[in-house]
Amino acid sequence: MNVKSRKQARIGIGLGATSAIAWGVDTVIIGLIITSTPFKEAIVLAPIIAAFMHDFFSAIWISLLMIAKGEFVNVLKLIRTKSGFILILGGLCGGPLAMTFYFLGIQHAGVTYAASIASIFPGIGAVLAFFFLKEKMVGRTWLGVILSIIGVITLAYVPSKFDVESNFFIGILFSLGAALFWGLEGVISAWGMRGKNVVPFYAINIRQLTSALIFGIVIIPFVQGYPLVFDAASSNIVWLLAIAGLLGTMNYSLYYASIDIIGAARGQSLNNTYVFWAIATEILFIGTPISWQFVIGTAIVLLGSVLVSGNIKSLKADGEPRLNEGGSANPV
């Protein structure tokens, strides 16, 4: 963490909460993309290709921003450092691995279920951050993590789904895989951003470039997916993919900035409220009916996030110095 004042702590909390809105809307758009032509005709390849094109456009958006600011050269320099290598590892977990599992979860279990199950990643991240990053976690924070998980399960649980849809369990497993790798990404990225001269925009640029390159050079050729890539690129769905990539860039930029300020566990738990925004978007624009289950689940998620965001005074007190590339403390 890099908290210097109460004002900065509030900014970190606000960034984490706002990132959830972008990712919630992005999740619904992803669901629409996968069920549209030409993806709906390629059931097996659709999630992988959609994940690649999403992160490809996201990499373009963030790279263009860095070029416009004259800072892309700093991103390239950072890649060659220890912190850059750590961020590449985080990008590998959160990009090709988590995104593919998440898109597969959406395909097999639907937007609501995939979003809800995958949103247990803050619990995974909190445990990993506690043990490996030595982030201080008081009882209030742990209670918030637990409530967030209970809330998202409440939001999505419908017993009949377990009886009638054979692919549902597969979707649940894929969504759990996404949660695991997103939890790892948050902790690894927080570690990488402790390095000297690392800023969140540089980190997210490396993250998205890593994802796009691994997809484009390794995964897509292996699954022989480029014909579908070209079909999608030449159809009207490409504009929706570009919008989704922009929302993904917004989400990760805000999310990484939040982690940099208030830590991995708190940043992840605030980002976790994306499940509310995903379901709310479906209600407003797709017509999903509102139920008491939705109202109660949403209230639990929001309460959990408030608890996890913690006391602003404790955020400041828990702030840690950054590390230089040699691993020693670097006062700020």
Side-chain angles (χ1 to χ4, degrees), residues 2-158:
N2 189 35
V3 182
K4 297 179 182 179
S5 66
R6 293 188 190 181
K7 180 179 180 181
Q8 190 174 25
R10 291 191 183 97
I11 291 173
I13 292 170
L15 291 171
T18 306
S19 72
I21 299 175
W23 190 241
V25 176
D26 195 12
T27 291
V28 175
I29 292 177
I30 289 167
L32 294 174
I33 289 171
I34 292 176
T35 57
S36 300
T37 304
F39 291 106
K40 66 180 180 181
E41 286 86 14
I43 297 176
V44 176
L45 288 180
I48 299 173
I49 305 306
F52 162 58
M53 297 187 74
H54 176 279
D55 281 7
F56 174 79
F57 278 111
S58 181
I60 290 177
W61 287 119
I62 189 64
S63 295
L64 287 175
L65 176 61
M66 291 296 97
I67 291 171
K69 295 177 66 176
E71 298 181 19
F72 189 69
V73 64
N74 295 331
V75 175
L76 298 178
K77 289 179 180 178
L78 179 59
I79 290 175
R80 299 194 294 268
T81 67
K82 176 184 175 181
S83 293
F85 177 73
I86 294 171
L87 290 169
I88 288 172
L89 290 179
L92 175 62
C93 289
L97 295 173
M99 286 295 288
T100 297
F101 277 113
Y102 188 51
F103 278 43
L104 286 166
I106 290 174
Q107 183 187 54
H108 290 285
V111 169
T112 300
Y113 284 93
S116 299
I117 300 302
S119 65
I120 68 170
F121 75 89
I124 297 172
V127 173
L128 293 173
F130 177 76
F131 285 107
F132 295 106
L133 297 182
K134 308 302 180 184
E135 290 188 2
K136 296 179 181 179
M137 298 286 288
V138 298
R140 168 178 170 171
T141 305
W142 284 113
L143 176 61
V145 171
I146 293 170
L147 284 177
S148 294
I149 294 171
I150 292 174
V152 296
I153 293 174
T154 301
L155 277 170
Y157 181 65
V158 179

Side-chain angles (χ1 to χ4, degrees), residues 121-123 126 144-145 148 264-273 304-305 308-309:
F121 75 89
V145 171
S148 294
R266 292 182 175 95
Q268 286 184 329
S269 291
L270 288 167
N271 184 258
N272 177 49
T273 58
S305 296
V308 169
S309 64

Side-chain angles (χ1 to χ4, degrees), residues 226-273:
Y226 271 111
L228 182 56
V229 171
F230 295 140
D231 286 345
S234 60
S235 70
N236 290 331
I237 203 68
V238 70
W239 301 109
L240 203 55
L241 281 161
I243 293 172
L246 179 60
L247 286 169
T249 299
M250 293 170 60
N251 164 63
Y252 276 105
S253 297
L254 295 167
Y255 173 44
Y256 272 45
S258 177
I259 287 177
D260 187 45
I261 296 172
I262 61 176
R266 292 182 175 95
Q268 286 184 329
S269 291
L270 288 167
N271 184 258
N272 177 49
T273 58

